[in-house]
Amino acid sequence: MSWQNEKQLKEVLGMLHASLRGDNEQQMKVYKKLQQLRGNQEFNQYLAFIISSMKKEPEQIRQQAGLLLKNNIHESYERMDPKVRNYIKLKVLQTIGDESKKIRKTIGHIVTTAASKDKLKGWQPVLKELLKMLESNKYEHVDGAFNALCKICEDEPERLDSQDLGRPLNTMLPLFIKFFVHPKEPIRRYALGAVNQFLGPNMPQALRANMTGYLKGLFVLTKDSSVQIRKRICQAFVLLLDNEVNALLPHLKKVMEFMITSTGDKNEEVALEACEFWTSVCEQQVHNNLDPAILNSYLRVLVPILLKGMVYSPLDLIGRMGADEDDSHVPDREQDIAPRHHSAKVSSYNGSGGDDWDDDDEDASDWNLRKCAAAALDTLATVYKDELLPFLLPMLQKSLDKKTEWQIQEAGILALGAIADGCFSGVSKHLHHLIPYLIGQLKHPKPLIRSITCWTLSRYAKWVVKGKDDDEKYFKPLMVQLLQRVLDKNKAVQEAACSAFAILEEQARGRLVPYLEPILKNLTFALQKYQAKNMLLLYDAIGSLAEAAGSALNRKELIKILMPPLIQRWNKLDDRDRNLFPIGECLSAIAVAVRSGFLPFAQPIFNRCLQIIHNTLVEQNRVRKMGENARLSYDHAASSEKEFIVVSLDLLAGIADGLGSSVASLVGNSKCLMLLFECLKDPDGDVRQSAFALLGDLARACIGHLKPHFDKFIPISAANIDPHKSSSVCNNASWALGEMAFHAGGNDMAKYIPGLMQRLVPILNGAVKDYNNPSLMENAAITMGRLGLVSPEIVAPHLHHFSKAWCNNLCRILDPKEREHAFRGLCSCIHKNPKGIVNAVPELIIAIASCSQPSEGMANMFHTILKGLHQMMGAKLGNGCNQKAFQFVMERYRVAVR
């Protein structure tokens, strides 16, 4: 070739050799030289020439050249000369069938990287050549071509089905399916893997058209001895069940029999992939009306296999080396501690949450057969409920026998926890002897049994708490033993016990009050004993205790036990230590619970939070004033720095909520409001979300400090009622405005209310383009109620514009205080403008009917409003109403209908 220069070629070769030998410093120098050559067009041609044509060079040198070429393509393909691109295409086609498997794989990476960069448009000829090579008699050609094609299918599934490229899949997929019966295992594996790439939700028509052949090929492969092929077949059946269940229905019996066999496969990879199938079957039954009877007949065979899959394998136990040790004194390695993030506070009028399934006895990221089998049993129990118990309970009885091997016992305890939700009704009949058995297992010599028992007991905590027996029989023994395990000498048991005790706290609430002193002594002793990872869970457990016990925690002797060790740890932490996040959340929960009892500790914590916010904002402003490069280098840490502001704002909000009016002196003698306003302007949504939460808490606690600044705080709050930016920020801004209105009164709010209504009414009416959020609409309804309560003369004239939507959204309000404010605001507006509700009477009747336990004052308001409307509308009042609701409401509020 005209571009070649022997001297330059030798120089490149020399650098490649040097990069693979010598010390690290020498290798780094060579690497830098190679990086500098990346932009050189001829350099990429030399690399393509070396991997493809210099076959006498060591395999490692050729592979290194190919990897450099792949990286260069990834970085600068768009800038490459067309001649260079064409040369690379030529050379990869020449080398796709190289004798070396490593070189073939490297060539495959080059092909797919370049093809993806080119969006496949310049690579149709290469694709055609690769497909031709599949018909070659040389195994290396078929293997190399399939290797490259599989990578392209993985990276570019949508483009392979595009009309612009002539839909290559129409040719590729039927050809791939033919190779399911190839005599060589790697080729069968390539073919199956390539087709499986298209089994997702957007399945191409080319696969649907060839589904019969594909399924026939899959069933042939179910008899394959290759572990990797059986693994891919299991994946295929799961994906088909999720995305093309109708294609599987005629063959479901055959599929289930294969998947049951595979779930019990000796190879754990195959068993794990097959085990995923059963959760998918149950989901199809729940969401897509798949007949439960199809799986029902296999449950007696399947459930024992799942139980066997829950037993720790020898490999699992090797991976958990040291699990039997007393390791509570061993410091955690930094890599063992998951990064701690702080979520911004939600202070809108409602919220919801849920938990994913996790047995909590291992690292949640370590998904394995044991966890998958337990999750499958959990899902089966949710669908089939007590139908499982006639054959499951005898098996569990054998597993839980103390004479069986400890691994079998441990799996039985895990299974008992897995069915807790779905089979609760049936299992609860046996809990009077199972709970004592489990409490006894908390003393088992094996830490793995102690830890899983903590988790399983937490799943039945509601039974223990709601039981009619006295505390001595179940509740107190469980509480005492869990607290002992909190102080276990094994860190995994500590972790499980802390989590379980936090759940018990949430369930027990008031029942904990008589035992608060020993509980606090136990948990604060753990503060001195725990290593870093479990300390996070301990803070959560203490925070949960505060939330559960509430004001009962506000006793001097209890605060004396709890606060000094926490304050000591708080003071030891640097202002940039991320351990401030969990202890900050813990202190916030305590402040809300003990209220005035927090006052002796409030000022230094309050001031430190303000200092952290101030320092972080100053640093951000400093960076903004620097050059672009400095800002870019700072960006990667910016979101992390914001978390320090968020946790400080949330702790301040907790203090304000807890101290109430006592926080006024702290606010008045600080720069709190100035810093709060800066946070309300911050571009970060989490910062604004927490800032509005604090604003609302301050409105409730010390509205006098806010009133002089309404001209700043109200407009910025109104500007953030913008659901397209952030629904959480919008919710908190709406809530804060409602609190300011309610506590300030109409005189101070009057001039702002028309502008606020312009923001709230479109949300109430669901008229915000491309946006419909029930939670936000409900919050807007409550805020509108508070505006109507303090200034009905301003809100009422516009009632007809949003009365239907307002009534509809009031029906969903659960919080009694918020509901009362909202309804009182509505009634005040109707009193001022009864004609504004005439077109929404059916909705009003349903809304009033939804108030199951109105206060005496609210009931009187309902009576007055309904009586007035009846006098105004007469017999027409009930037109269009749900007659059952209408009759109920009129009778309940003593309005005679003629």
Side-chain angles (χ1 to χ4, degrees):
M1 296 291 291
S2 59
W3 56 268
Q4 281 186 341
N5 180 300
E6 283 297 321
K7 183 179 178 181
Q8 289 180 351
L9 179 60
K10 286 182 180 179
E11 185 180 348
V12 173
L13 272 173
M15 284 190 285
L16 291 173
H17 280 275
S19 71
L20 299 174
R21 64 171 182 262
D23 57 27
N24 289 339
E25 187 177 347
Q26 176 65 24
Q27 287 180 350
M28 186 56 67
K29 287 181 181 177
V30 175
Y31 175 76
K32 286 181 178 177
K33 285 184 181 178
L34 289 169
Q35 291 296 103
Q36 290 169 359
L37 288 170
R38 283 193 308 177
N40 186 308
Q41 298 285 346
E42 292 181 356
F43 177 59
N44 293 312
Q45 289 176 293
Y46 284 125
L47 293 175
F49 180 77
I50 290 167
I51 188 173
S52 63
S53 301
M54 302 193 73
K55 299 191 177 183
K56 292 183 179 180
E57 286 292 326
E59 178 184 71
Q60 197 175 8
I61 296 299
R62 295 176 64 203
Q63 187 180 23
Q64 180 76 345
L67 293 173
L68 278 170
L69 178 58
K70 184 205 77 167
N71 292 338
N72 291 350
I73 289 170
H74 180 74
E75 295 292 332
S76 56
Y77 187 79
E78 295 83 357
R79 297 190 296 275
M80 284 184 183
D81 189 286
K83 292 180 180 179
V84 175
R85 295 186 191 183
N86 290 332
Y87 183 77
I88 292 171
K89 290 177 191 176
L90 174 67
K91 286 299 179 184
V92 296
L93 280 174
Q94 290 175 359
T95 321
I96 203 80
D98 197 274
E99 292 181 0
S100 164
K101 188 172 184 68
K102 286 185 178 178
I103 298 300
R104 295 198 299 271
K105 281 194 169 185
T106 305
I107 288 292
H109 284 301
I110 294 170
V111 169
T112 191
T113 303
S116 294
K117 285 288 180 181
D118 230 355
K119 299 179 180 178
L120 296 186
K121 288 182 180 177
W123 285 77
Q124 293 100 315
V126 175
L127 276 176
K128 289 179 182 177
E129 286 300 315
L130 292 174
L131 291 172
K132 281 183 185 178
M133 284 185 187
L134 295 182
E135 307 292 347
S136 172
N137 292 325
K138 288 194 68 175
Y139 169 75
E140 290 80 6
H141 284 181
V142 179
D143 179 83
F146 242 135
N147 174 53
L149 287 165
C150 276
K151 289 181 171 65
I152 292 172
C153 289
E154 182 179 352
D155 288 357
E156 298 293 341
E158 293 179 2
R159 287 200 178 102
L160 287 171
D161 193 39
S162 70
Q163 183 66 46
D164 292 346
L165 296 177
R167 301 196 186 280
L169 279 186
N170 291 341
T171 303
M172 294 168 68
L173 288 181
L175 182 59
F176 290 169
I177 291 168
K178 289 180 182 178
F179 281 85
F180 283 11
V181 293
H182 194 277
K184 295 287 186 181
E185 188 272 351
I187 304 303
R188 298 197 302 276
R189 180 161 27 100
Y190 279 139
L192 181 57
V195 180
N196 283 3
Q197 293 295 330
F198 302 95
L199 289 175
N202 301 315
M203 187 180 295
Q205 183 57 36
L207 182 52
R208 296 182 195 277
N210 288 277
M211 185 59 69
T212 301
Y214 174 60
L215 288 172
K216 184 178 178 181
L218 284 181
F219 288 122
V220 169
L221 289 174
T222 57
K223 300 177 179 64
D224 204 293
S225 61
S226 165
V227 165
Q228 291 303 316
I229 285 177
R230 294 203 309 278
K231 178 180 168 183
R232 283 167 171 77
I233 294 170
C234 293
Q235 291 170 341
F237 283 142
V238 172
L239 288 166
L240 282 167
L241 187 66
D242 288 342
N243 300 296
E244 194 68 14
V245 64
N246 290 332
L248 271 191
L249 283 178
H251 315 282
L252 210 47
K253 182 179 179 182
K254 191 189 301 186
V255 172
M256 284 192 174
E257 289 171 356
F258 170 76
M259 295 303 268
I260 284 176
T261 302
S262 299
T263 303
D265 199 285
K266 292 179 180 179
N267 183 278
E268 188 165 327
E269 288 185 34
V270 174
L272 175 58
E273 295 298 339
C275 197
E276 300 281 3
F277 182 79
W278 308 111
T279 300
S280 292
V281 170
C282 292
E283 288 173 354
Q284 287 295 325
Q285 291 175 187
V286 172
H287 300 297
N288 294 323
N289 298 318
L290 186 67
D291 185 1
I294 296 173
L295 178 56
N296 202 322
S297 58
Y298 294 100
L299 290 178
R300 289 182 179 272
V301 181
L302 173 62
V303 168
I305 295 172
L306 293 177
L307 288 176
K308 187 178 179 181
M310 290 182 222
V311 179
Y312 275 117
S313 69
L315 193 61
D316 288 332
L317 294 174
I318 291 171
R320 296 179 66 80
M321 288 283 285
D324 284 345
E325 297 176 3
D326 293 344
D327 59 354
S328 62
H329 62 286
V330 180
D332 294 324
R333 299 177 303 170
E334 193 171 337
Q335 59 266 39
D336 293 333
I337 305 170
R340 179 75 179 204
H341 300 286
H342 178 79
S343 299
K345 184 176 180 182
V346 177
S347 286
S348 51
Y349 304 107
N350 59 75
S352 62
D355 296 316
D356 292 330
W357 190 93
D358 183 17
D359 64 13
D360 219 17
D361 68 314
E362 301 170 48
D363 182 348
S365 64
D366 182 25
W367 189 247
N368 53 26
L369 175 60
R370 165 189 161 77
K371 286 192 170 187
C372 188
L377 183 61
D378 185 352
T379 311
L380 288 171
T382 302
V383 173
Y384 291 95
K385 300 190 181 300
D386 292 350
E387 290 180 49
L388 293 180
L389 296 181
F391 51 90
L392 176 58
L393 284 180
M395 287 185 279
L396 287 182
Q397 190 172 8
K398 285 184 180 180
S399 298
L400 298 176
D401 191 316
K402 293 183 179 179
K403 295 178 182 178
T404 62
E405 295 179 48
W406 74 265
Q407 296 96 322
I408 306 294
Q409 288 184 55
E410 196 276 346
I413 295 169
L414 169 60
L416 188 60
I419 64 171
D421 285 344
C423 299
F424 183 80
S425 176
V427 174
S428 62
K429 299 171 186 175
H430 307 275
L431 288 178
H432 62 281
H433 61 81
L434 282 172
I435 294 297
Y437 164 84
L438 291 169
I439 291 172
Q441 291 294 76
L442 290 173
K443 300 176 185 177
H444 197 282
K446 285 288 182 183
L448 287 173
I449 284 192
R450 300 201 298 274
S451 62
I452 196 59
T453 302
C454 289
W455 177 77
T456 294
L457 279 165
S458 75
R459 302 271 284 179
Y460 291 100
K462 60 184 177 182
W463 183 88
V464 174
V465 169
K466 293 179 181 177
K468 296 178 181 178
D469 300 280
D470 59 60
D471 284 4
E472 297 294 328
K473 194 166 184 180
Y474 301 115
F475 178 71
K476 188 175 178 181
L478 173 59
M479 180 182 64
V480 169
Q481 286 302 315
L482 280 179
L483 286 172
Q484 288 185 13
R485 297 287 64 81
V486 166
L487 297 177
D488 201 278
K489 292 181 179 180
N490 181 275
K491 288 193 284 190
V493 179
Q494 292 175 357
E495 178 181 356
C498 258
S499 298
F501 195 74
I503 292 170
L504 181 65
E505 290 168 339
E506 292 166 7
Q507 296 282 345
R509 304 193 74 80
R511 286 187 71 174
L512 295 169
V513 172
Y515 310 103
L516 285 176
E517 185 171 341
I519 291 172
L520 287 173
K521 286 180 177 178
N522 189 284
L523 297 180
T524 53
F525 183 73
L527 283 171
Q528 304 166 38
K529 184 177 180 178
Y530 272 23
Q531 302 300 330
K533 181 182 178 184
N534 285 349
M535 190 67 73
L536 308 180
L537 290 169
L538 184 58
Y539 289 141
D540 287 343
I542 294 172
S544 295
L545 178 66
E547 291 171 1
S551 59
L553 205 56
N554 188 12
R555 287 165 28 204
K556 286 184 179 180
E557 65 273 21
L558 299 180
I559 292 172
K560 189 176 180 179
I561 297 169
L562 175 60
M563 290 305 295
L566 281 173
I567 294 298
Q568 185 180 22
R569 297 196 68 85
W570 166 265
N571 290 337
K572 279 185 178 180
L573 296 173
D574 182 81
D575 283 356
R576 281 295 172 264
D577 191 326
R578 297 181 71 83
N579 287 307
L580 284 173
F581 300 168
I583 196 172
E585 293 169 10
C586 179
L587 287 170
S588 180
I590 293 169
V592 172
V594 303
R595 299 201 171 275
S596 62
F598 199 80
L599 194 56
F601 313 97
Q603 185 166 352
I605 296 175
F606 192 92
N607 290 340
R608 186 180 185 189
C609 288
L610 293 179
Q611 191 62 48
I612 290 171
I613 295 170
H614 174 266
N615 291 344
T616 308
L617 292 174
V618 167
E619 176 64 11
Q620 289 173 2
N621 287 332
R622 184 185 67 81
V623 172
R624 287 193 193 103
K625 294 175 182 176
M626 297 171 68
E628 183 178 352
N629 290 336
R631 287 200 301 274
L632 290 174
S633 66
Y634 180 77
D635 276 350
H636 74 281
S639 60
S640 175
E641 292 299 306
K642 298 282 189 183
E643 286 185 83
F644 287 97
I645 299 181
V646 171
V647 75
S648 298
L649 288 167
D650 290 350
L651 181 46
L652 290 171
I655 293 172
D657 188 4
L659 296 186
S661 59
S662 297
V663 82
S665 61
L666 297 176
V667 174
N669 296 318
S670 69
K671 296 181 179 179
C672 178
L673 297 183
M674 181 193 77
L675 292 170
L676 175 57
F677 185 68
E678 291 301 314
C679 292
L680 293 173
K681 296 189 295 182
D682 198 278
D684 185 89
D686 284 345
V687 171
R688 297 200 312 281
Q689 181 179 331
S690 288
F692 282 115
L694 175 56
L695 179 61
D697 283 320
L698 291 177
R700 291 195 294 186
C702 53
I703 192 66
H705 283 303
L706 285 177
K707 282 183 181 181
H709 307 284
F710 269 11
D711 281 344
K712 290 197 306 183
F713 284 117
I714 290 180
I716 198 168
S717 299
N720 276 272
I721 300 181
D722 184 350
H724 286 126
K725 290 182 179 177
S726 167
S727 60
S728 296
V729 173
C730 185
N731 267 329
N732 280 14
S734 175
W735 174 78
L737 282 164
E739 292 291 348
M740 285 189 281
F742 181 75
H743 291 280
N747 291 337
D748 292 291
M749 289 296 297
K751 67 177 181 178
Y752 305 107
I753 289 177
L756 297 179
M757 290 181 65
Q758 289 179 8
R759 292 279 184 170
L760 293 169
V761 169
I763 294 174
L764 267 179
N765 286 332
V768 180
K769 188 179 179 184
D770 302 325
Y771 196 88
N772 187 357
N773 184 321
S775 171
L776 182 55
M777 294 164 74
E778 181 181 331
N779 289 324
I782 297 169
T783 300
M784 185 67 79
R786 287 178 157 168
L787 297 179
L789 185 59
V790 299
S791 294
E793 70 282 356
I794 299 176
V795 177
H798 309 280
L799 187 58
H800 61 285
H801 291 301
F802 56 90
S803 53
K804 287 186 179 183
W806 196 3
C807 291
N808 287 335
N809 284 294
L810 292 180
C811 292
R812 294 196 293 264
I813 302 171
L814 299 178
D815 183 273
K817 187 172 102 173
E818 316 295 358
R819 183 172 61 232
E820 174 137 351
H821 288 175
F823 272 103
R824 284 174 59 197
L826 173 64
C827 291
S828 297
C829 290
I830 296 172
H831 182 74
K832 288 283 184 183
N833 178 20
K835 291 184 179 179
I837 199 69
V838 168
N839 292 330
V841 168
E843 290 79 10
L844 175 66
I845 294 297
I846 294 295
I848 293 175
S850 73
C851 288
S852 57
Q853 294 180 318
S855 67
E856 185 179 348
M858 196 155 74
N860 290 335
M861 292 186 82
F862 287 156
H863 169 77
T864 303
I865 292 300
L866 292 169
K867 185 177 180 181
L869 288 174
H870 183 251
Q871 288 172 352
M872 182 175 74
M873 299 177 66
K876 294 181 180 179
L877 179 62
N879 289 356
C881 292
N882 178 302
Q883 289 304 305
K884 188 175 180 180
F886 180 74
Q887 184 177 355
F888 166 77
V889 165
M890 302 309 278
E891 289 178 1
R892 181 175 190 178
Y893 296 106
R894 308 179 313 280
V895 179
V897 180
R898 291 192 289 273

